[in-house]
Amino acid sequence: MVLEIQKAAEEIAQRIGEEKVSTEKFHRMTYSRDWSPRNAKEAQLPDLVVVPSTTEEVAEVVKIAYKYRIPIVPFAGGTGMGGGVSPIKGGITIDTKGLNKILEIDKENLTVTTQVGITILALNQELEKHGLWWPHDPESKPASTVGAAISCDNDSTFGIKYGKLGDYLLNAVLVTGTGEILRVGHRKALCTSSGYKLHWLLIGAEGTLGIVTEATLKVFPKPQTRKVEAVVFKSISEAINALKRLLQAGLSIESAHINCKRRLGFYTHAYREKYKREPDIPEWAEALLFVSFNGDEEVVKFSHEYALKILEGCGGQKVKEKEIIDGWWTSKHTLKFEPFKQKWPDSQRRKKFGAADLGIPVGRIEEAYQKFLKIAEKNEMEVLGMCVYNERPNRISPSISFAVFVDDTDPDEVKRFYKYVEEMSKMAVDLEGTMSTYIGDGDRLGGFNEYEHGKALKYMKKIKEVFDPQNIMNPGKKFESCWITPRK
Ligand SMILES: Cc1cc2nc3c(=O)[nH]c(=O)nc-3n(C[C@H](O)[C@H](O)[C@H](O)COP(=O)(O)OP(=O)(O)OC[C@H]3O[C@@H](n4cnc5c(N)ncnc54)[C@H](O)[C@@H]3O)c2cc1C
């Protein structure tokens, strides 16, 4: 361990307590990576792991890191898919899960103020006791935190009704790269025209501007009931047009996910395996739409029946097997491996899920899908399939997962995967879309995201300098890629 790290470890232990600091190798190893495909042999470890439990303790750690110019990597649940937590330049990993206290539940104003290391599931378990709900709901909620949701701007199952982090975040506390504590945002007001919206700058910042320690979020009364439905269509465009009709009719849709034929194949495969009979899905089915409605029982009943009429009128056929609908729902709400085993053919258990997460304008999804198949084939990646999520309220706003299987014990396959991500990302920009909608730049897109941002990238780097003058906050992320360009 270099001298600066040793000194920093001692000073941090003095300020926040020895029990919150670790240099043990076995401990540091658990902070070497997230769920992004990468070869285990190339993993880098942090030099030091600290687990602060207050904003002030985080500030103390950052001040010491600033003094010795040591990199800091914020770590939450470690389920990210872009390499955001990889300590590619070593340094101090701050495990944010020590910041897990809820500070205030304001039932009257429908807000919660919380330390952000709490998992989304734990936050909702507490809110439920008050009849409230934070509907931001990624599949990874048992492990992933509020702070990571802010920092990645990740997707929620219920985005088409409630939106993304920009729709929830009212204010936040940030520890900047100098160790200064900053409150940004507009308290409990739902909108503002005053100042710059610095709290929005933290959304998707991936820890490169500082560490978010607290946040005030908009919450909702928990709806009474829910109804989930699945309908197949002859094409992806037909499914999209049907969804457009639902919105045009004025229905309030809670979730709407469109799966391609390959993804549909996982559900029918799981059904066949489990029940030993063929599901009644027509051969012509090219797209599978899962849709749900929530609210009062009567409203849900009406919405569901009316929606079904529209969907069938648009060429859709209702999926009769309740087990397929339940299988999808379960897979969205548990991190246990079971749904994946059911969803993915047995031969693929060994391989990991790897995705290009693209934002594509709605009229060009079919085109993007065809290009996806070609780019995957060119890079010799086995296609898992496409799923179109919708993430802005009352809109078709495609956030698309173009997924492939990756064997990350094979370094050549990992390399081809990141080449695939680069080509897919550039394709999204060519189609007037964006390179990432829920994973973030991480350590994957930085080598080529100028293709999307052009000169604006220079301004982004300047903004980082304001918050983090010594470039110690998650260095190597957003503006570099350790896969495409050589490590610096
Ligand atoms: C099985 C599975 C299902 C998933 N489902 C979804 C899904 O439905 N929707 C979706 O969008 N994603 C999904 N993901 C991806 C992933 O869960 C999300 O990106 C999630 O936001 C990561 O949360 P985490 O707590 O694990 O963050 P981590 O991986 O620990 O960190 C993510 C990034 O945030 C930064 N960070 C974390 N906390 C802070 C903080 N307090 N301040 C500053 N920076 C911080 C980290 O440095 C890193 O750059 C899934 C992943 C898995 C493995």
Side-chain angles (χ1 to χ4, degrees), residues 62-121:
V62 177
K63 276 180 199 155
I64 293 165
Y66 181 77
K67 185 166 88 179
Y68 295 111
R69 286 187 171 234
I70 298 171
I72 287 198
V73 181
F75 192 103
T79 66
M81 291 182 161
V85 296
S86 306
I88 52 179
K89 308 211 174 196
I92 303 172
T93 285
I94 295 191
D95 183 342
T96 57
K97 281 214 170 135
L99 298 152
N100 57 9
K101 285 178 207 64
I102 295 175
L103 304 172
E104 184 198 52
I105 294 175
D106 182 344
K107 215 169 158 173
E108 192 183 4
N109 292 308
L110 293 173
T111 64
V112 62
T113 301
T114 183
Q115 288 187 315
V116 299
I118 189 165
T119 66
I120 295 170
L121 183 68

Side-chain angles (χ1 to χ4, degrees), residues 34-35 74-81 84-85 96 116 138-140 143-145 147-149 151-152 154-155 206-207 210-212 335 340 438 474:
D34 56 12
W35 280 48
F75 192 103
T79 66
M81 291 182 161
V85 296
T96 57
V116 299
E139 269 177 50
S140 51
S144 70
T145 71
S151 302
C152 299
N154 61 1
D155 276 357
E206 300 177 80
I211 299 186
V212 184
L335 258 191
F340 294 97
Y438 67 88
N474 217 355

Side-chain angles (χ1 to χ4, degrees), residues 188-257:
K188 291 180 184 173
L190 291 186
C191 53
T192 181
S193 297
S194 176
Y196 295 121
K197 293 176 180 57
L198 293 185
H199 61 307
W200 279 2
L201 210 49
L202 306 183
I203 299 174
E206 300 177 80
T208 58
L209 302 180
I211 299 186
V212 184
T213 57
E214 293 174 25
T216 299
L217 307 163
K218 181 173 162 42
V219 295
F220 292 79
K222 188 145 188 174
Q224 276 177 17
T225 41
R226 163 176 297 133
K227 178 77 188 164
V228 190
E229 194 54 88
V231 179
V232 288
F233 290 90
K234 286 200 180 83
S235 69
I236 290 159
S237 308
E238 213 173 70
I240 288 165
N241 285 333
L243 186 54
K244 274 189 198 158
R245 273 291 300 127
L246 295 189
L247 291 168
Q248 190 186 19
L251 289 168
S252 174
I253 306 166
E254 185 198 33
S255 69
H257 295 182

